[in-house]
């Protein structure tokens, strides 16, 4: 059963309506053309008949005495076609030949008149000189034949137009059905794809047309969806896994402490362990929340002019204590003038803190960390250099992946959970800035964030980190 909103039905209806309009215009035009050409043919024959009378008069006027002219003309008329429909008047205005009906008054020319239920085409009052005298001739033709031809033509149109329309409508419907069948197939295939079989793909018809493009676009979208869903599931699995260890640790620490009576010092020690682990867990939960909001693209980061020199100065000042505690030298190098970009102040602070925390975490005591802000020809570069353990070449491309840690045990000991650089990369992306890591294993690493002028124009939709 065809639904009311079917494209097929609408296409067929439009096609039929357009064809009907075209055929109607053609029919009326053809009818008018046929009618005009029949009338022209009748007019031509009337003119020929009048000319024949003129020639006959010219030929007979001298050889026939005036008294016999009437009889001669009657004989001529009897031999001529539609001879009874001829009128000839002599110069005195007397009828030499007369018609069954009187001709209309007026100048010489063609008219139509009805007599006795029939229509006649008339050529009247044609005057000419014969032997010095002015004769007047008129002729009429019965239009019954014209009426008959036109009526037959009308009947033909009345039968042909609906038949052509019917055939065309069926043909059109069949053709649109054939052309749109792949759409039905695509719809059925698309309907069968759900979240659990996102790896299925639609069959792409190799037709090079809109339908092929539609199927390809669908498959493209499915591919992107599948990637996002896989990433989300992986993220959820990794997040659950990461949360399980600290919670298990807290539970075990509490259980052991409660198993028997202990000294206040032992209880304090257990509580300290639980406190440290809870702190790490809440940092992990906070990072997870930031990334979950980033994935959901919940609310856009608000952009405003940010003075990078100020941000670098303040964050480095805050981190100074931590660096000193690890016996690290933290140096800041900045241009003499202020560097202002369009961005989100809080997010940029967070990004710099991630890079600095990592530099502090992965640089052994006695090392050096340098934070530099440079105005470059094509933008601004913020770099964090350290003389730490470095990152192996094989790990370098993966350090921005979620939960990726080159050295899991070391990262965990340092309180890391492998989300810092993912958040830093997301913040950089929101600012249309590029973040890159370079490293010389065993000697140190450099993390660079580069803002290009075009990257500061607008605020892309990114959730605000808290
Ligand atoms: P984490 O919380 O483990 O530090 P990140 O996402 O911040 O997570 O970093 C991912 C991994 O990249 C780290 O586990 C570490 O192995 C490596 N890494 C990051 N920064 C540095 C650095 N400055 N020096 C050496 N390794 C680093």
């Amino acid at each position: 059963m065809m639904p009311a909103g079917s494209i097929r039905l609408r296409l067929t209806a439009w096609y039929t309506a357009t064809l009907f309009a075209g055929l109607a215009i053609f029919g009326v035009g053809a009818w008018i053309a046929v009618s005009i050409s029949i009338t022209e043919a009748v007019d031509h024959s009337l003119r020929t008949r009048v000319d024949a009378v003129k020639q006959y008069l010219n030929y007979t006027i001298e050889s026939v005495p005036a008294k016999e002219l009437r009889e001669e003309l009657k004989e001529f008329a009897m031999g001529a076609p539609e001879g009874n429909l001829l009128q000839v008047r002599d110069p005195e205005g007397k009828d030499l030949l007369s018609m069954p009906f009187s001709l209309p008054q007026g100048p010489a020319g063609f008219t139509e008149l009805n007599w006795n239920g029939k229509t006649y085409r008339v050529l009247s009052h044609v005057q000419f000189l014969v032997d010095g005298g002015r004769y007047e001739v008129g002729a009429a033709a019965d239009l019954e034949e014209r009426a008959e031809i036109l009526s037959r033509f009308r009947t033909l149109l009345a039968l042909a137009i609906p038949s052509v329309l019917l055939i065309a409508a069926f043909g059109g419907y069949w053709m649109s059905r054939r052309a749109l069948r792949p759409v039905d197939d695509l719809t059925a295939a698309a309907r069968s794809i759900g979240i659990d079989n996102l790896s299925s793909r639609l069959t792409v018809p190799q037709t090079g047309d809109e339908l092929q493009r539609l199927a390809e676009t669908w498959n493209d979208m499915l591919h992107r969806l599948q990637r996002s869903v896989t990433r989300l599931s992986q993220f959820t699995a990794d997040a659950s896994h990461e949360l399980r260890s600290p919670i298990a640790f807290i539970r075990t620490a509490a259980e052991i402490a409660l198993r028997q009576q202990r000294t206040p010092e032992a209880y304090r020690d257990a509580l300290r362990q639980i406190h440290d682990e809870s702190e790490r867990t809440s940092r992990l939960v906070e990072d997870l929340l930031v990334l979950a909001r980033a994935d959901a693209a919940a609310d856009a980061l608000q952009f405003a002019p940010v003075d990078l020199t100020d941000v670098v100065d303040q964050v480095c000042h805050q981190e100074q204590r931590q660096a000193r505690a690890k016996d690290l030298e933290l140096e800041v190098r900045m241009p003499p003038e202020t560097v202002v970009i369009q961005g989100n102040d809080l997010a940029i602070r967070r990004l710099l803190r991630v890079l600095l925390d990592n530099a502090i975490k992965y640089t052994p005591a006695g090392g050096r960390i340098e934070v530099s802000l440079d105005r470059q020809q094509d933008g601004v570069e913020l770099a964090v250099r350290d003389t730490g353990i470095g990152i192996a070449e094989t790990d370098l491309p993966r350090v921005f992946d979620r939960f990726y840690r080159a050295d899991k045990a070391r990262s965990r000991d340092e309180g890391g959970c492998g989300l810092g650089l993912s958040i830093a990369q997301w913040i950089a992306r929101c600012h249309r800035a590029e973040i890159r890591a370079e490293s010389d294993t065993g000697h140190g690493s450099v993390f660079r964030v580069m803002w290009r002028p075009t990257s500061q124009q607008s605020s892309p939709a990114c959730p605000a980190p808290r």
Side-chain angles (χ1 to χ4, degrees), residues 139-161:
D142 188 348
L143 286 181
E144 199 176 358
E145 200 182 345
R146 183 184 79 169
E148 215 168 275
I149 291 174
L150 286 178
S151 142
R152 267 207 303 263
F153 190 60
R154 262 199 312 270
T155 315
L156 182 76
L157 287 179
L159 287 176
I161 290 180

Side-chain angles (χ1 to χ4, degrees), residues 250 273-285:
I250 291 170
Q273 282 180 22
I274 290 172
H275 171 262
D276 289 352
E277 199 58 30
S278 325
E279 221 172 45
R280 210 184 80 81
T281 314
S282 67
R283 272 206 309 275
L284 167 64
V285 169

Side-chain angles (χ1 to χ4, degrees), residues 358-359 361-362 386 389-391 399 404-407 411 416-422 445 447:
N358 278 349
K361 273 193 287 191
Y362 303 109
D386 63 55
I389 57 168
I391 306 164
V399 288
Y404 189 80
R405 286 166 282 193
D407 182 343
S411 162
C417 53
L419 291 177
L421 286 179
S422 324
S445 322
F447 283 83

Side-chain angles (χ1 to χ4, degrees), residues 31 35-43 46 101-105 107 109-115 118-124 139-144 146-147 150:
W31 191 85
S35 164
I36 288 174
S37 59
I38 295 175
T39 309
E40 273 176 0
V42 172
D43 290 353
L46 284 174
F101 46 82
S102 56
L103 294 180
Q105 298 301 313
F110 292 102
T111 43
E112 278 177 29
L113 55 81
N114 291 310
W115 182 75
K118 282 185 173 180
T119 308
Y120 293 89
R121 181 87 178 158
V122 176
L123 172 59
S124 54
D142 188 348
L143 286 181
E144 199 176 358
R146 183 184 79 169
L150 286 178

Side-chain angles (χ1 to χ4, degrees), residues 232-302:
L232 277 178
S233 331
Q234 184 65 42
F235 182 51
T236 316
D238 288 348
S240 319
H241 183 77
E242 288 296 322
L243 279 169
R244 213 169 51 185
S245 327
I247 289 170
F249 180 89
I250 291 170
R251 213 182 60 199
T252 315
E255 274 170 11
I256 292 172
L258 289 170
R259 210 169 276 164
Q260 61 191 58
Q261 192 70 30
R262 294 183 193 274
T263 61
E265 188 51 43
Y267 280 129
R268 210 170 288 129
D269 196 44
L271 280 174
R272 202 174 298 119
Q273 282 180 22
I274 290 172
H275 171 262
D276 289 352
E277 199 58 30
S278 325
E279 221 172 45
R280 210 184 80 81
T281 314
S282 67
R283 272 206 309 275
L284 167 64
V285 169
E286 197 192 321
D287 284 354
L288 284 174
L289 204 63
V290 170
L291 287 171
R293 286 162 70 95
D295 284 340
D299 31 26
L301 275 186
Q302 295 304 312

